[in-house]
Amino acid sequence: MNLTNDERRTLIQAAVEIRKRAYVPYSNYPVGAAVRTKTGKIYTGVNVENAAYPHTMCAERVAIFKAVSEGETEFDVVAVVTNNGGSPCGGCRQVMAEFGLDTIVLIADGSGNLKKEMSVAELLPEAFTPKHLQ
Ligand code: THU
């Protein structure tokens, strides 16, 4: 899909803003995410850490799960914001792949500068998807 710079900016800005709510007492590495549905709604998420470390949840998954729990399962773009333009983890790539390999992923730094833009298919080649279970 072809995104305009305004569209990129809007989604990245939503992730920049929500990142302030990241709950990161252990890593001190706040992550903000924003996903736009094909119907044009935006859902945001932050990483939420836990004293029992493995129970931490990533920002991307929080955003996607919020959307899914509101009945939205089709996404055209996801923005992820970290201090240093970090890339989504493997688990988040897998969750993105569940809902479509064509979704565009925008990776930005804490100032909102776009560092990378690619599809989920590019981020997770040879993905295991629902079609493998048919
Ligand atoms: N984190 C995310 O929120 N998304 C990712 O894709 C990578 C990692 C979080 C988890 C943890 O709270 C912190 O970043 C450091 O790993």
Side-chain angles (χ1 to χ4, degrees):
M1 78 163 307
N2 290 317
L3 290 170
T4 65
N5 279 338
D6 267 4
E7 289 178 305
R8 290 186 180 90
R9 190 91 340 261
T10 299
L11 207 64
I12 289 171
Q13 199 47 42
V16 165
E17 283 302 316
I18 203 70
R19 195 168 78 106
K20 296 170 187 163
R21 297 209 183 129
Y23 179 76
V24 290
Y26 310 107
S27 73
N28 197 30
Y29 187 78
V31 184
V35 56
R36 190 180 77 188
T37 69
K38 289 191 177 169
T39 57
K41 290 182 202 143
I42 293 177
Y43 291 87
T44 56
V46 296
N47 48 338
V48 181
E49 298 186 343
N50 193 281
Y53 298 167
H55 299 290
T56 290
M57 183 50 63
C58 292
E60 299 93 314
R61 274 180 274 177
V62 170
I64 291 169
F65 293 165
K66 279 168 71 179
V68 172
S69 68
E70 295 298 320
E72 300 281 352
T73 54
E74 294 190 74
F75 309 115
D76 55 16
V77 52
V78 184
V80 186
V81 170
T82 59
N83 285 344
N84 52 3
S87 197
C89 80
C92 290
R93 294 175 195 207
Q94 182 64 37
V95 168
M96 290 176 194
E98 177 73 18
F99 300 104
L101 297 175
D102 295 332
T103 304
I104 296 297
V105 183
L106 306 174
I107 298 172
D109 68 18
S111 308
N113 299 309
L114 181 62
K115 293 295 186 188
K116 283 203 170 161
E117 176 171 341
M118 63 189 70
S119 67
V120 171
E122 290 172 306
L123 266 178
L124 189 63
E126 304 294 330
F128 185 81
T129 65
K131 77 173 193 299
H132 292 106
L133 296 178
Q134 279 165 12

